[in-house]
């Protein structure tokens, strides 16, 4: 898993500039993988505004993000610059209510109409 | 590229000798599994840290030979 400085800086900028970022395969409107789609569904259900980054269009980020978080798969969710988890963890946190609690704790506004 | 369930189980067992491990083959294609692992090694660790330990045990196979491994990890209840 390779991560050059330029890619690392790009990733850091994205997760710093955007409160909620989902590195995914495809886009929120057209997810290209079941796990990415499930993650989008959870965030949309909670009414979370997030930036979807399509790693399929950015090979450097697709590989770099795995080294960046020491996590070998996509999707990956970041809230306020912090890696939260992949699809499994998102589902588990959603089911237990921990995801809503984390978002509230980080001051992320939920817009059920989003 | 695929992995057999027993391969996954033995790699995990090697890293977590005390673990109880249940592996379900989700699609029968050797690429999509679910694993439920209980080990004292997970005690006091966040979910992300627990899953990272499992990925390390799989020595780079996760995301390569192994496309999907739905993980449920936990420490044994305090006795």
């Amino acid at each position: 898993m390779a991560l050059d400085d330029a890619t690392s800086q790009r990733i850091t900028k994205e997760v710093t500039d955007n409160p909620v970022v989902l590195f995914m395969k495809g886009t929120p409107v057209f997810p290209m993988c079941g796990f990415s789609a499930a993650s989008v569904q959870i965030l949309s259900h909670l009414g979370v505004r997030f930036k979807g980054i399509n790693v399929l269009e950015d090979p450097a980020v697709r590989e770099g993000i795995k080294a960046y978080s020491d996590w070998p798969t996509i999707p990956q969710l970041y809230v306020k610059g912090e890696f939260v988890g992949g699809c499994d963890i998102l589902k588990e946190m959603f089911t237990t209510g921990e995801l809503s609690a984390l978002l509230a704790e980080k001051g992320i506004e939920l817009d059920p109409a989003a | 590229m695929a992995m057999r369930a027993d391969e996954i189980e033995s790699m995990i067992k090697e890293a977590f000798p005390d673990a109880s491990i249940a592996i379900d083959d989700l699609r029968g294609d050797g690429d999509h599994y679910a694993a439920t692992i209980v080990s004292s090694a997970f005690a006091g660790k966040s979910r992300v840290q627990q899953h990272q330990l499992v990925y390390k045990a799989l020595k780079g196979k996760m995301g390569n030979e192994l496309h999907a491994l739905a993980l449920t990890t936990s420490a044994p209840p305090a006795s």
Side-chain angles (χ1 to χ4, degrees), chain A residues 25 33 35 66 69-73 83-85 88-89 92-93 96 98, chain B residues 27 32 47-49 51-52 55-56 62-63 67-73:
Chain A
K25 290 178 182 174
C33 136
F35 299 110
K66 297 173 185 176
S69 57
D70 186 23
W71 192 262
T73 57
F83 174 58
V84 174
D88 290 351
I89 287 179
E92 220 174 317
M93 289 180 72
T96 62
E98 285 171 76
Chain B
R27 294 201 194 150
H32 295 73
R47 272 195 199 89
V48 167
Q49 291 166 331
H51 291 203
Q52 283 171 327
Y55 292 146
K56 281 193 177 61
M62 188 65 230
H67 179 66
L69 180 63
L71 278 177
T72 306
T73 55

